[in-house]
Amino acid sequence: MSHFPSPFDVTRSPGWQALAGHREQFAGFSMRETFAEDPQRFAEFSLNDCGLFLDYSKNLITRQTRELLVELAQEAGLQQAIASLFAGAPINASEGRPALHTALRRPIGDQVLVDGVDVMPEVHRVLQQMSELVGRLHGGLWRGYSEKTITDVVNIGIGGSFLGPQLVSEALLPFAQRGVRCHYLANIDGSSFHELAAKLRAETTLFIISSKTFGTLETLKNAQAARSWYLAQGGTEAELHRHFIAVSSNVPAAVAFGIREENVLPMWDWVGGRYSLWSAIGLPIAMSIGMSNFKELLSGAYRMDEHFQSAPFERNMPVLLALLGIWYGNFWGAQSHAILPYDHYLRNITKHLQQLDMESNGKAVRQDGSPVHCATGPVIWGGVGCNGQHAYHQLLHQGTALIPADFIVPVSSYNPVADHQQWLFANCLSQSQALMRGKTLAEAEAELRARGLDEDEVQRLAPHKVIPGNRPSNTLVMERVSPRRLGALVALYEHKVFVQSVIWGINAFDQWGVELGKELGKSVYSRLVGSAAGTAEDGSTQGLIDFFRGRHRG
Ligand code: F6P
C-alpha cells in the first residue's frame, strides 16, 4: 500500500499559488542591487553546519521567497515524510520497501525496525566483517595464489555500485593507505577492461564483484572476463577465492559464480543502489582509506542526517537547496542544474550527483500512479573548475537558458603549489560573482570607449559584451576535503533529492525507466549475433543491426 494515501498535488496547493504570484514580482529584480541595498544579505542567506558553509545569497530570492518556499514544504508534509524516511516506512511504494541508507550511518545502540526486525545489529556486524577484511588486506595477510600480498583491488560494478565508491575513494586519496591501489571497472566496453588489465598482475590483484542484484549484465560480463583473465595469467580455480569476493544481496548467484559464501558481504533490499556507498558496497573505499576513515565518512553523513531531521526548514541545508531547485525548476523554467567542483579530488562528484538526482527524480508519475503536473528532476551536469570556464561556462553567462549552479570549493589544498590554491579559489568566486553581476550595456560601452575605440566600433561590439547577470548560484565551502566533510556533503545532496521528491509527490527510490532498455537490449543482442529470427520492431534498429552484422561477417 502506498505510504502516501492521499495524492497531494503540490501545484494545487495554496503555497504553490502564492509562489506563482510572488514570482511575478521579480520582473525588475536585480541581485546586484539587492546586494548594494542590503549589507546583511550574505549573513541572512548563509549558514554553517556539519563542516560545510553554504552561501545561498546569490539567488533570485528575498526573505519572503524563503518564507513561501518553506510554507510549501510544510504543506507537502515534509516533516512527516522525513520522519517516515528515517523510521523505515515503506516510502518506496512501487517496490514496497523502505529506503534506509540513513540506518547505515547510525551508531551502535540505535534501533531501526524493518518488518519488526531491528536491522542495526546486522549493519554493525557487516561493518565488523569489513574491518576484518580490510585489516587482513592492509596487514599483508590477504595473499594471492603465489603467496604475494595484494597490491591492487578492482571493483567491478556499475551505477550505484561504482559511482559513489569511485567518488569517495578518489576524493579521499590523501587518506589512502600505502600499498593498495583501487581501480574501477564499470562499462561493458572491452577497451576499459583491456586498458585496466594491462596495469595489473593476477597474483597480486583482488576483484570485488559489487552488485546488489548480482544480475547486472555489464558487471557479470566484466566479472567473467576478469575470471578468464585471472586463469589465463596463471591463477587456478582452487585459489579463485583468494582473488574474487563479492558484495551482493543475491548470495546464491555470487556463490554460483565461484565466490565462497563467507566472502560475500551482504547488501539489503532496503538500500537503493545510488544510496549504497555507506554499506559494504563502500568496501573499495575502506580498502583505500582504511576502516577508521570509512567510519569518519559515516559519521559525517550521520551529522548531516541529524541536521536534516532537526534544523528548522529556513536553516536546514538540504531543505534550502531543494527549495531553491523547486523555485527555479517550477517557477523560472530552469531545466538543468550545474555542479561545479573547484577541486581535483572532488572531480567525480558531478557524475555521482547526476545518478543520484536523475535516477531518483527523473519521474513523471506520483507515488499513487497519477501524473505529476509540473516539471520534476532537472538535468544534472557540470565538471571540474577551472576547466569548465574554458568550455561551457560561456553558455552559463550568456546563453538563453537559466541554469542554476552549485560551486563546491575547499579553502585549502593538500598539495599547495605556489599560489595555485588562491587562484583556484579566486576563480570560483569570480565565476559566481560574474554570473550574479553580469555586465550592463553602459558598462560594456564605457569599457570599449576607455580602450580608445571610435563610437561606431563601440556600438558594434557592445551588445556582444553585455552579460545579463542575475544568474543564480550556491557556493559550498569547506576547509579541506576530509572523510567527515565529504560524508556530510554527499548526504546533503541525498536529502536534497528526497525533499524535492516529497514536494513533487514522486518516488525517489525506484528506477523503472532503466528496465525497458535492459529488456530490449536482450532481443537486440540476439538479433545481432544471429540467434533470433525475425526483424526488429522498427526499421531504424533493424537497419543498424544489419550494418553491424555486415561489418562483422568477414
Ligand atoms: O542503472 C540501474 C541500476 O539498477 C542502478 O540503480 C544500480 O545502482 C545499478 O543498476 C547497478 O545495480 P546492481 O548493484 O544490482 O548491479
Side-chain angles (χ1 to χ4, degrees):
M1 200 188 75
S2 165
H3 170 65
F4 298 92
S6 56
F8 169 76
D9 180 353
V10 70
T11 62
R12 289 168 184 263
S13 69
W16 187 277
Q17 306 311 325
L19 279 161
H22 179 65
R23 166 69 181 86
E24 284 167 19
Q25 295 163 18
F26 277 77
F29 182 86
S30 157
M31 258 196 265
R32 212 202 249 218
E33 280 168 25
T34 58
F35 270 107
E37 286 160 9
D38 180 5
Q40 291 307 310
R41 188 171 170 88
F42 174 70
E44 180 65 37
F45 295 114
S46 59
L47 65 148
N48 196 356
D49 215 317
C50 307
L52 304 175
F53 183 85
L54 169 65
D55 168 23
Y56 65 103
S57 60
K58 293 193 189 92
N59 275 293
L60 295 159
I61 55 168
T62 62
R63 288 170 176 79
Q64 196 193 355
T65 320
R66 187 174 55 196
E67 277 162 29
L68 292 174
L69 286 166
V70 163
E71 275 169 35
L72 184 77
Q74 277 153 353
E75 278 175 29
L78 180 59
Q79 202 63 61
Q80 178 53 41
I82 294 172
S84 301
L85 172 78
F86 282 85
I91 55 174
N92 176 355
S94 74
E95 296 179 304
R97 295 172 187 167
L100 267 177
H101 42 287
T102 54
L104 301 168
R105 43 231 195 187
R106 290 179 90 129
I108 284 187
D110 276 15
Q111 196 190 53
V112 180
L113 301 179
V114 176
D115 296 331
V117 178
D118 182 9
V119 297
M120 292 310 296
E122 177 68 353
V123 167
H124 283 277
R125 186 192 67 73
V126 175
L127 281 172
Q128 185 53 34
Q129 199 181 351
M130 288 170 72
S131 283
E132 281 158 21
L133 227 148
V134 170
R136 281 173 65 197
L137 188 81
H138 290 161
L141 301 173
W142 187 294
R143 290 169 186 261
Y145 63 81
S146 63
E147 293 302 331
K148 291 208 171 94
T149 53
I150 297 295
T151 56
D152 294 88
V153 173
V154 178
N155 186 79
I156 300 183
I158 198 163
S161 302
F162 158 53
L163 294 163
Q166 186 204 36
L167 158 67
V168 176
S169 64
E170 295 191 4
L172 298 179
L173 218 52
F175 296 80
Q177 309 289 307
R178 291 212 283 169
V180 181
R181 289 176 294 266
C182 244
H183 312 270
Y184 290 88
L185 187 60
N187 198 347
I188 201 167
D189 189 330
S191 300
S192 56
F193 182 83
H194 173 82
E195 294 293 339
L196 175 59
K199 293 186 209 154
L200 303 171
R201 288 168 57 205
E203 58 182 345
T204 54
T205 299
L206 174 67
F207 292 96
I208 307 173
I209 316 302
S210 232
S211 176
K212 180 177 163 184
T213 55
F214 219 88
T216 304
L217 176 82
E218 295 87 343
T219 300
L220 294 185
K221 285 283 163 191
N222 276 325
Q224 282 152 8
R227 186 167 59 181
S228 305
W229 173 83
Y230 156 84
L231 293 170
Q233 297 288 310
T236 61
E237 288 282 0
E239 304 294 348
L240 196 93
H241 63 279
R242 297 187 187 217
H243 296 271
F244 286 83
I245 62 175
V247 182
S248 185
S249 56
N250 187 351
V251 180
V255 170
F257 177 85
I259 294 171
R260 284 191 176 171
E261 193 164 344
E262 67 266 27
N263 289 339
V264 183
L265 283 87
M267 255 289 273
W268 308 279
D269 68 3
W270 41 263
V271 181
R274 51 197 174 273
Y275 299 86
S276 65
L277 72 90
W278 323 99
S279 71
I281 292 286
L283 187 60
I285 302 173
M287 286 185 167
S288 172
I289 64 175
M291 206 55 200
S292 62
N293 283 322
F294 185 77
K295 287 184 178 166
E296 284 284 291
L297 178 85
L298 298 182
S299 70
Y302 178 67
R303 252 189 92 186
M304 182 56 74
D305 294 341
E306 292 198 304
H307 166 83
F308 180 48
Q309 290 176 92
S310 62
F313 289 168
E314 50 283 335
R315 297 205 54 77
N316 189 314
M317 254 188 233
V319 173
L320 287 169
L321 287 188
L323 292 175
L324 287 166
I326 300 270
W327 179 229
Y328 295 121
N330 295 132
F331 297 93
W332 290 77
Q335 294 184 345
S336 82
H337 186 102
I339 301 287
L340 308 171
Y342 273 66
D343 184 71
H344 174 74
Y345 289 127
L346 287 177
R347 65 194 178 284
N348 292 316
I349 197 163
T350 309
K351 283 194 290 173
H352 176 64
L353 298 186
Q354 191 174 56
Q355 189 211 15
L356 176 67
D357 201 320
M358 294 174 77
E359 207 173 60
S360 297
N361 283 346
K363 314 281 165 67
V365 296
R366 292 181 287 161
Q367 287 271 15
D368 68 337
S370 62
V372 280
H373 298 119
C374 59
T376 57
V379 173
I380 302 293
W381 65 281
V384 75
C386 303
N387 298 1
Q389 291 171 211
H390 300 273
Y392 42 77
H393 281 218
Q394 164 61 32
L395 188 145
L396 294 178
H397 291 294
Q398 282 189 310
T400 51
L402 177 83
I403 303 176
D406 289 357
F407 291 89
I408 305 174
V409 62
V411 171
S412 316
S413 169
Y414 283 102
N415 307 292
V417 174
D419 57 357
H420 288 205
Q421 185 60 19
Q422 285 79 355
W423 274 114
L424 189 66
F425 202 85
N427 266 288
C428 177
L429 265 47
S430 62
Q431 284 300 305
S432 66
Q433 190 183 35
L435 286 167
M436 182 272 286
R437 287 181 62 83
K439 189 184 282 182
T440 64
L441 182 63
E443 284 170 344
E445 288 173 347
E447 217 175 80
L448 292 165
R449 285 188 195 113
R451 280 173 45 202
L453 270 65
D454 67 40
E455 200 51 28
D456 282 354
E457 209 44 9
V458 167
Q459 294 308 318
R460 191 178 72 79
L461 289 177
H464 298 277
K465 302 226 166 205
V466 172
I467 319 257
N470 244 3
R471 303 223 157 162
S473 67
N474 299 306
T475 304
L476 273 160
V477 189
M478 68 188 91
E479 179 30 52
R480 286 201 289 194
V481 182
S482 69
R484 265 175 173 258
R485 293 182 198 116
L486 184 61
L489 181 67
V490 176
L492 162 64
Y493 279 97
E494 289 180 349
H495 296 323
K496 171 198 165 176
V497 165
F498 175 68
V499 171
Q500 293 186 332
S501 75
V502 171
I503 290 173
W504 292 321
I506 59 179
N507 181 354
F509 302 107
D510 60 8
Q511 57 283 319
W512 297 105
V514 182
E515 297 306 317
L516 177 61
K518 288 186 192 171
E519 282 161 29
L520 293 179
K522 288 179 201 149
S523 81
V524 170
Y525 173 83
S526 46
R527 292 201 169 97
L528 268 186
V529 298
S531 61
T535 52
E537 287 73 14
D538 64 274
S540 166
T541 308
Q542 187 57 46
L544 294 166
I545 288 173
D546 293 343
F547 187 90
F548 182 93
R549 283 174 63 84
R551 296 301 180 281
H552 277 262
R553 220 163 261 143

